[in-house]
Amino acid sequence: MALLTVENLEKRFGGLIAVNDVSFEVESGEIFTIIGPNGAGKSTLFKLITSFTRPTSGRVIFEGENITRLPAHVVARKGVVRTFQETTIFKEMTVVENVIVAHHLRSRASSLGFFFNSPLARRDEQEFRESADSIIEILGLETVRNEQARNLPHGYLRELGIAIAMAAEPKALLLDEPFSGMNPEETDRVVDMVRGIRDRGITILLVEHDMRAVMRISDRILVLNFGSMVALGTPSEIQTDKAVIEAYLGREDDELGI
């Protein structure tokens, strides 16, 4: 059984069809990437999978359970976790403090318990600190663990966003343009980071525009155009697919990394 199944997913905004009858499966342990020109429906599809947006029709199945209508925080607790650009980062906090705070989705103590520093709240905080230290070590962020987020270079900010998502203990981690705006050295570092996360048993879904990185890292690629599926296959299959090249206006050298 696939870890994640998307069945006939559709999202309409008035007369606009942002996602049109999209179906696919993601196997456990895959790096599965969604690409397409601007406005193709990639980000909307991510929002539908993580319940930040409700579909007009269709279903999302995770580990055999229909999660389509569940609240986003419940979906995240079940293990479907996405990153957001920099909106989840507290710039005045250090790297380690940001990752500790991100663990509170998993807290057993109530808000009142944290306010009064109850025994359960203290145990939660100890576990969160230990987990944050482990995540920082796994992702190779030890050199900046005590640096304020506001002082981090762009690449490290993106990596911190991934560390924050890891605090929710994802089974499927959805990364929204993790390589955007990076120089080649930063991209190589994050490519290695994403592979390392997958090697620890976490399934990865990407939305990404950096096609050279996509072709290096992906097991399979889904191509969207105007909300509809154009192709689904391995990187080598996608690079030679005529419908994909046409969707990218024939600019395979620039867009597809050929």
Side-chain angles (χ1 to χ4, degrees), residues 106-175:
R106 294 162 42 192
S107 62
R108 296 164 298 177
S110 65
S111 299
L112 201 60
F114 280 103
F115 182 80
F116 288 107
N117 196 28
S118 71
L120 184 56
R122 289 197 296 272
R123 286 197 295 272
D124 276 351
E125 285 293 340
Q126 180 61 30
E127 289 179 13
F128 296 166
R129 288 182 181 278
E130 292 173 358
S131 177
D133 287 340
S134 176
I135 290 169
I136 286 169
E137 181 181 356
I138 288 167
L139 300 187
L141 294 171
E142 298 99 326
T143 58
V144 294
R145 74 183 308 277
N146 295 314
E147 190 73 45
Q148 274 192 323
R150 66 184 300 172
N151 297 327
L152 294 176
H154 174 76
Y156 275 112
L157 275 174
R158 287 301 178 91
E159 293 174 35
L160 176 55
I162 294 173
I164 287 169
M166 288 285 286
E169 295 188 328
K171 297 175 183 177
L173 179 59
L174 285 75
L175 303 177

Side-chain angles (χ1 to χ4, degrees), residues 48-65:
L48 293 171
I49 292 170
T50 52
S51 279
F52 281 88
T53 297
R54 295 286 180 88
T56 304
S57 61
R59 300 195 306 168
V60 179
I61 310 296
F62 182 68
E63 293 188 318
E65 179 184 359

Side-chain angles (χ1 to χ4, degrees), residues 172-232:
L173 179 59
L174 285 75
L175 303 177
D176 187 4
E177 298 189 22
F179 312 121
S180 175
M182 291 187 179
N183 62 41
E185 182 179 345
E186 290 171 331
T187 299
D188 288 344
R189 176 181 168 86
V190 178
V191 164
D192 289 341
M193 176 185 287
V194 172
R195 284 179 176 148
I197 293 170
R198 188 272 301 274
D199 291 344
R200 300 184 73 86
I202 298 172
T203 301
I204 305 292
L205 283 79
L206 302 173
V207 163
E208 185 52 61
H209 286 287
D210 185 335
M211 289 301 102
R212 285 174 175 80
V214 165
M215 295 300 166
R216 287 167 53 197
I217 200 174
S218 305
D219 294 311
R220 288 190 300 147
I221 299 170
L222 168 69
V223 185
L224 293 180
N225 195 27
F226 296 111
S228 298
M229 292 178 58
V230 174
L232 173 62

Side-chain angles (χ1 to χ4, degrees), residues 9-149:
L9 213 54
E10 181 177 295
K11 181 61 180 179
R12 294 175 178 265
F13 296 97
L16 172 67
I17 304 177
V19 174
N20 184 23
D21 194 28
V22 171
S23 298
F24 61 89
E25 293 184 344
V26 181
E27 300 297 328
S28 181
E30 267 197 296
I31 297 179
F32 186 95
T33 304
I34 302 165
I35 68 171
N38 289 331
K42 304 182 298 296
S43 294
T44 301
L45 181 56
F46 252 30
K47 291 176 182 176
L48 293 171
I49 292 170
T50 52
S51 279
F52 281 88
T53 297
R54 295 286 180 88
T56 304
S57 61
R59 300 195 306 168
V60 179
I61 310 296
F62 182 68
E63 293 188 318
E65 179 184 359
N66 186 348
I67 63 170
T68 314
R69 302 289 173 179
L70 296 179
H73 71 277
V74 174
V75 170
R77 281 183 175 151
K78 289 182 179 294
V80 183
V81 179
R82 65 167 295 187
T83 57
F84 298 87
Q85 304 299 331
E86 296 177 16
T87 56
T88 56
I89 295 173
F90 294 99
K91 295 294 184 69
E92 301 304 318
M93 289 185 178
T94 65
V95 167
V96 67
E97 287 169 344
N98 266 281
V99 181
I100 289 170
V101 167
H103 281 77
H104 282 268
L105 181 70
R106 294 162 42 192
S107 62
R108 296 164 298 177
S110 65
S111 299
L112 201 60
F114 280 103
F115 182 80
F116 288 107
N117 196 28
S118 71
L120 184 56
R122 289 197 296 272
R123 286 197 295 272
D124 276 351
E125 285 293 340
Q126 180 61 30
E127 289 179 13
F128 296 166
R129 288 182 181 278
E130 292 173 358
S131 177
D133 287 340
S134 176
I135 290 169
I136 286 169
E137 181 181 356
I138 288 167
L139 300 187
L141 294 171
E142 298 99 326
T143 58
V144 294
R145 74 183 308 277
N146 295 314
E147 190 73 45
Q148 274 192 323

